[in-house]
Amino acid sequence: MRSGQVFLNSRLAGTLTEASRKMYVFQYDQEYFDDPAAPAVSLTLPKSKQEYRSAYLFPFFFNMLAEGVNKELQSRQLRIDKEDAFGLLLATTGSDTIGAVTVKPLKNDELTRNK
């Protein structure tokens, strides 16, 4: 199981977890949820106390990934299988993303790398 912390404008908004290759979970951080001024991470993940579950990586997070040649280069340089979307997400979206959202691996998790 791998997890990442989701930040919106450098503020912890929630946790994204890959429970298995066919089960992904997103849950808002309680402090973030309790702040009425804190916006939802995306329109497809409105603020809710309940956790969101999906059989595939949520499209909002999947769309943060590089495509085409850039994805190939990242995959090769980071030694992560190009089909491992969650691994690539944790390895490449911790800073300098196009939007205000970043995803950083939890310190106690190791990225599973394809050698």
Side-chain angles (χ1 to χ4, degrees):
M1 178 167 63
R2 300 180 288 180
S3 297
Q5 293 179 306
V6 178
F7 293 85
L8 180 61
N9 291 320
S10 301
R11 181 177 177 194
L12 178 62
T15 303
L16 179 64
T17 302
E18 180 189 56
S20 72
R21 286 279 180 138
K22 294 185 178 185
M23 179 53 62
Y24 298 88
V25 180
F26 175 75
Q27 185 162 26
Y28 280 97
D29 178 72
Q30 187 63 46
E31 185 177 324
Y32 189 88
F33 177 80
D34 290 340
D35 182 353
V41 169
S42 81
L43 292 175
T44 58
L45 297 167
K47 283 174 65 178
S48 171
K49 278 192 174 239
Q50 292 182 330
E51 60 187 21
Y52 290 92
R53 294 180 166 269
S54 177
Y56 49 86
L57 183 58
F58 298 95
F60 174 77
F61 295 109
F62 186 82
N63 288 325
M64 293 176 69
L65 298 173
E67 297 176 323
V69 175
N70 287 336
K71 180 179 178 179
E72 295 282 339
L73 289 171
Q74 288 176 343
S75 176
R76 198 169 337 139
Q77 286 181 336
L78 298 169
R79 295 186 176 152
I80 298 173
D81 183 349
K82 66 181 178 182
E83 300 302 319
D84 182 5
F86 198 80
L88 286 168
L89 183 80
L90 292 178
T92 62
T93 60
S95 63
D96 197 27
T97 59
I98 290 173
V101 175
T102 55
V103 182
K104 299 179 183 181
L106 286 173
K107 292 189 184 341
N108 62 348
D109 288 339
E110 283 188 69
L111 294 177
T112 303
R113 295 180 187 252
N114 184 23
K115 295 188 178 189

